[in-house]
Amino acid sequence: MFGAMWSEHCAYKHSRPLLATLPSEGERVLVGPGENAGALDIGDGLAVVFKVESHNHPSAVEPYQGAATGVGGIIRDIFTMGARPIALLNSLRFGPLDSEDDPTGGTDDAAAARNRYLFGGVVAGIAGYGNCIGIPDVGGELAFDPGYSGNPLVNAMCVGIASHQITLARAAGVGNTLLLVGAATGRDGIQGASFASAALGEDRDRQRPAVQVGNPFLEKLLMEACLELSGSEAVVGMQDLGAAGLTCALAELASRGGVGVEVNLDRVPCRETGLTPYELLLSESQERMLIVVRAGREPEVQAVFARFDLQAVPIGTVIAEPVVRCRAGGEVACSVPARALTEDAPRYVPDAVPPADLELRRSMDLRPLAALPPDEETLLELLGAPNVRSRRPIWQRYDHMNGTRTMVPPGSGDAAVLRIKGTARALAISLDGPGRLGALDPRLAAASAVLEGALNVACSGAEPIGITNCLNFGSPETTRGYWELREAVAGMAEACTALGIPIVSGNVSLYNETPDGPILPTPVIGSVGLLEHRSALLRMGWTDGDDIWLVGEPGVDVAGLAGSELAWRRGFRGGAPRLDIPAAVRLIRLVPQLARAGLVRGAHDLSIGGLGVALARMAIASDAGATVARPAPRAAPTAALYGESVGRVLLSVSPRRAADLEAAARDAGVEASRIGSAGGPALRIDVGDVELAVGLDSLRSAYEQPF
C-alpha cells in the first residue's frame, strides 16, 4: 500500500512543492487543485469541470488498452464530480513512423515499426473508448520526435458541465456506508501506479499485467447512474478507483474528510477466484467507483444502480478513528492512518542543474539558416511534414459530433467550440504543448504553451478563463530532470500570472525515459475559454476580398527559428528562443474584443511553420488563395516566413473595418499591419526580395498526405 501511495504517480514526491507555487485562485474558481478535477463558474448556475491526465507508460506497453483506459479514467474524474462529460481531447507524441522521417538518422526501421505500432494502437484505443461511450473527441495535438521513440506520450483531457452542486471526493458521517459499484475486481493493473513511477526498461513487455483493461459500455452505464445520483442527498461523496485502486480511493476519501474507513474485503465482488488482500487493495480494474452513502439510504442508491444492471455492494463504513482498516477472512489485513498514506508521503527537493551542453546548444548561430532565400519547395516540404500535415486521418476516426454540441470541429479552428445548451454561451477548448522548445529552454517552453493555448481559444472569440496541465518529464532524481521540471513550473506560473487565469487541475508524469535517455521536456496545457455569446465565434478562414492582417510582434528575428520545425529538419538543433510575455498577453486580450465588436471574420494563430504555414492553412481551409507582401530584413527572409515566435495571429477583415481594427490594436498597444488580401487560385507571398507562388491544389496535396 505504501509502495503504491508513496509512488511518484500518487504522492507527487518531487513535484508537489513546485506545484504549490502555481496560481490556482480566481473569482470563477469553484473547485481548485486537490479534487478529481477543477471547476469554474460559467454563469447561469453552471460550472465547467475539466482535467488532463497521462497514460504514457501503459500505452508504451499495450497501446490500445493503455490509451483506452486513459480515456476512461479521465472521464470518471469528471462525472465523479457530478458533471456530464461533453468533450474529449488528446495530446499525442511518438517517435518517427518512418526511418526517413528522422533527419538525425537515429531511427532505424525496427524502431520506426515499433513507433507505428504504438501510434496505430493508441489512436484505435482512443477512438474505441470515446466513440462507444458517446463523448465527442473534438481536438488535441500530435507531434513526432526521436525523443519519444519507445516512450510515447498519451495525454487525455475531458471537459464536463455541472451545476454548482458539485460532488466532492471525501468521506463524512460516522456510520455511513461505503458502496463499491461497477465492475468486478480482477488481477489487471496491479501496481500500475508503481509501474508508472519508474523508467521504461528492456523488460517493458513483461509489464503487461500492470496495464488495465477497459469496458466503455460498462462505463457508460456507470456514468449515467452516477450522474443521476449526483444531486441526491443520499450521496455524501464519490471517488473513482484509478491508480492504486481501492487503496487510493479509501485513503483519499478518509484523509480529505478527516475520518476513517473500515472495510470487509471478503465483500468485494471478484471476477477471479483466490484474490489475496494485496491484490484486492491494489488492483486497478477499471469502471469501478466508491460511493459514500448516508446510513439507511443504501436501498434507494442501490436501486438506481440496479436499473443500470450494475452491482452496488456495501463493503464498509465510515468510522471516527482516522485509519484505513481492512479485514479479510475475519482477520485484520491492514490498519494504517489515512494521512500516512496520503499527506505524510515524503517530499524531495533535489539539486537542480541544467544539462552540461545547454549553453553550447543555445549559442548555435542560426543566421545562416535565417538568410536562406525562401522557396516553394520548402513551403510544401513543411506543409507535408509529419508534425504539420493534416490530422484528418486521425480525427476522422473519432465521433466529434456526438451530443450535438460541437460548433467548431477538428481542423476548422484553433480550438474546438461547443455550445452550452440552454444558453447563448459556448466553450472554446484546446490542448497544446511547446514542441521542441523544451530542449532549449523549459521555462520559456512552458510559458509559451500557456500563451499558445490561451491564444488558440482567443482566436475562437473566447476569453480564456482557466487552465489544466500535464507535465511530462524524465526522472526527477537526476539534477537535469529536476531542473527541467522546476523551470517548466516557473514558466507556467509566470505566464498564468501575467494572464490572470488560474490552474485548477492537472497531472504530473515523470520517469518518461528509456535506456536511450529521457523524452523532451513536454508540458502540455489544456485551456478553456468562454464566449458569452455564440455570435462572437471565429473560425479559421477568409473570403475573397478580405484584408489580411498580421497582429502581434513582427517575428522577423533569427530567434524565432530556435526550436522551429524548419531548423530541426535542417539540423539546427540549437539557438536561444525569446518570448515577450506582456506583448502576447495584450494580443490575447485584444482578439476576443475584436470578435465581440464584429471587426474580424476569421483568425488563426502562428505556430509551427510560422507565417508561411499559417497562410497556407488559411488558404486551404478557405479554398481561396491570397496575395501577401511581408517586409523582411535582407539577412533573415527565412526567419520572417518560417520563424515560430509565439504571440502572433492572422486576421481576416472586411476592408471597410480595417481602420477600426487598426485603431483598436493601437489602443491595446498591439502591433498590427495589413499584409495582403484574399482571393485567387494561388497563395502568393512576397517576402523580402523573394516571390513565392503555389497553387491551392499543390498546397492541399502536400498538406493532406496520409500518415
Side-chain angles (χ1 to χ4, degrees), residues 42-67:
I42 54 174
D44 293 327
L46 298 175
V48 58
V49 181
F50 59 101
K51 187 182 182 182
V52 61
E53 279 200 343
S54 64
H55 235 222
N56 302 335
H57 279 45
S59 299
V61 173
E62 210 302 301
Y64 185 96
Q65 291 296 346

Side-chain angles (χ1 to χ4, degrees), residues 412-598:
S412 299
D414 288 352
V417 179
L418 294 98
R419 61 175 55 86
I420 304 171
K421 292 182 177 180
T423 77
R425 297 183 177 91
L427 292 172
I429 49 180
S430 73
L431 190 60
D432 297 283
R436 298 177 172 110
L437 287 176
L440 301 174
D441 190 333
R443 180 185 293 236
L444 183 144
S448 295
V450 170
L451 297 170
E452 169 89 5
L455 193 53
N456 280 339
V457 300
C459 283
S460 298
E463 174 194 350
I465 61 172
I467 279 175
T468 181
N469 68 83
C470 192
L471 302 178
N472 304 274
F473 289 82
S475 170
E477 298 177 32
T478 66
T479 57
R480 168 185 174 173
Y482 189 74
W483 176 82
E484 290 172 341
L485 177 64
R486 187 191 69 182
E487 290 295 292
V489 172
M492 282 196 305
E494 184 179 3
C496 286
T497 300
L499 284 166
I501 56 178
I503 297 177
V504 295
S505 62
N507 173 248
V508 177
S509 174
L510 305 180
Y511 298 97
N512 288 288
E513 298 193 4
T514 68
D516 293 328
I519 62 165
L520 296 175
T522 311
V524 171
I525 302 296
S527 303
V528 175
L530 180 65
L531 286 95
E532 289 291 346
H533 201 285
R534 295 194 288 267
S535 61
L537 172 64
L538 296 176
R539 289 180 170 84
M540 180 173 64
W542 53 49
T543 58
D544 285 358
D546 280 353
D547 282 349
I548 302 170
W549 285 70
L550 179 61
V551 183
E553 291 297 290
V556 296
D557 60 331
V558 175
L561 288 173
S564 69
E565 180 68 15
L566 180 62
W568 233 252
R569 294 180 71 83
R570 296 293 185 266
F572 290 83
R573 297 180 180 87
R578 290 202 295 265
L579 176 64
D580 189 335
I581 293 178
V585 169
R586 292 193 297 271
L587 175 63
I588 291 164
R589 291 173 177 163
L590 171 65
V591 175
Q593 295 174 13
L594 298 175
R596 290 193 295 269

Side-chain angles (χ1 to χ4, degrees), residues 130-158:
N131 293 351
C132 291
I133 200 171
I135 301 170
D137 194 306
V138 296
E141 62 165 1
L142 171 67
F144 301 93
D145 187 87
Y148 302 111
S149 285
N151 195 138
L153 300 187
V154 180
N155 294 177
M157 178 179 175
C158 187

Side-chain angles (χ1 to χ4, degrees), residues 21 63 86 103 200 256-257 302 364 397 590 597 686:
T21 66
I86 64 168
L200 289 167
R256 289 169 180 161
Q302 288 174 303
M364 177 176 285
R397 300 182 62 179
L590 171 65
D686 184 345

